[in-house]
Amino acid sequence: MRPPTNSIPSIISSDVIIKGNVSTAGEIQIDGTIEGDVKSKNLTVGENGSVNGKVNADDVVVKGTVKGSITGRSVRLEKTAKLTGDICHQTLSIEAGAYIEGNLSHQSAQPAASNAQKVMSANKEPKKEEPKEDKKDLVDLI
């Protein structure tokens, strides 16, 4: 999905509760509550916003609450952020005061094709061991 040219961000206002997954090719700001997964190009969770599900976006800014994993190229947790879940990132910024309960893991910027190659090579049959020549120990020769 590509965002339309001159598209404006989608804003989920503070009185909105969405039960279900949200997906957009553009930018979204969540000031309300989403009970489901969120996928977008750019995502901002406002100070009063909350997500109860997985977050996947290129650029993620969290000022509010996320209960679930975050996967993003650039992830920034501001001082008011409350995260219960894992973060998979290329770049990570955490302000003093942010609450995190989970694991952090760095993802490389390699293209997916090279990762697919690694998986394919890992699935190949192992090489058969060639029979070893009957070698005598040095002790046996003395």
Side-chain angles (χ1 to χ4, degrees), residues 55-60 70-75 86-92 103-112 115 118:
V55 169
N56 189 333
D58 284 347
D59 297 310
V60 181
I70 296 176
T71 302
R73 183 181 50 77
S74 172
V75 178
D86 299 340
I87 301 176
C88 185
H89 60 88
Q90 286 181 18
T91 61
L92 176 64
N103 296 308
L104 308 176
S105 63
H106 183 269
Q107 64 182 0
S108 65
Q110 295 177 356
N115 290 338
K118 288 179 186 176

Side-chain angles (χ1 to χ4, degrees), residues 66-70 77 81-87 94 98-104:
V66 175
K67 292 181 181 176
S69 64
I70 296 176
L77 302 178
K82 292 174 185 65
L83 170 68
T84 305
D86 299 340
I87 301 176
I94 304 171
Y99 173 87
I100 304 170
E101 185 177 326
N103 296 308
L104 308 176

Side-chain angles (χ1 to χ4, degrees), residues 18-30:
I18 297 175
K19 295 183 180 185
N21 299 335
V22 175
S23 180
T24 179
E27 183 176 346
I28 187 168
Q29 178 170 332
I30 300 169

Side-chain angles (χ1 to χ4, degrees), residues 3-139:
T5 57
N6 298 329
S7 67
I8 57 173
S10 299
I11 299 174
I12 308 299
S13 67
S14 60
D15 62 337
V16 174
I17 298 173
I18 297 175
K19 295 183 180 185
N21 299 335
V22 175
S23 180
T24 179
E27 183 176 346
I28 187 168
Q29 178 170 332
I30 300 169
D31 292 323
T33 301
I34 295 184
E35 295 179 10
D37 299 343
V38 179
K39 184 174 183 176
S40 68
K41 175 87 171 143
N42 298 316
L43 172 69
T44 301
V45 179
E47 283 189 41
N48 297 316
S50 69
V51 175
N52 190 1
K54 295 178 185 176
V55 169
N56 189 333
D58 284 347
D59 297 310
V60 181
V61 177
V62 179
K63 301 174 185 180
T65 304
V66 175
K67 292 181 181 176
S69 64
I70 296 176
T71 302
R73 183 181 50 77
S74 172
V75 178
R76 186 173 86 214
L77 302 178
E78 296 196 357
K79 63 183 177 183
T80 55
K82 292 174 185 65
L83 170 68
T84 305
D86 299 340
I87 301 176
C88 185
H89 60 88
Q90 286 181 18
T91 61
L92 176 64
S93 171
I94 304 171
E95 287 185 2
Y99 173 87
I100 304 170
E101 185 177 326
N103 296 308
L104 308 176
S105 63
H106 183 269
Q107 64 182 0
S108 65
Q110 295 177 356
S114 65
N115 290 338
Q117 181 62 32
K118 288 179 186 176
V119 171
M120 287 174 47
S121 65
N123 290 331
K124 288 183 181 177
E125 290 185 27
K127 292 182 181 178
K128 294 181 182 178
E129 260 188 57
E130 295 185 20
K132 296 180 180 177
E133 294 180 23
D134 193 20
K135 296 182 182 177
K136 295 187 179 193
D137 289 342
L138 184 57
V139 174

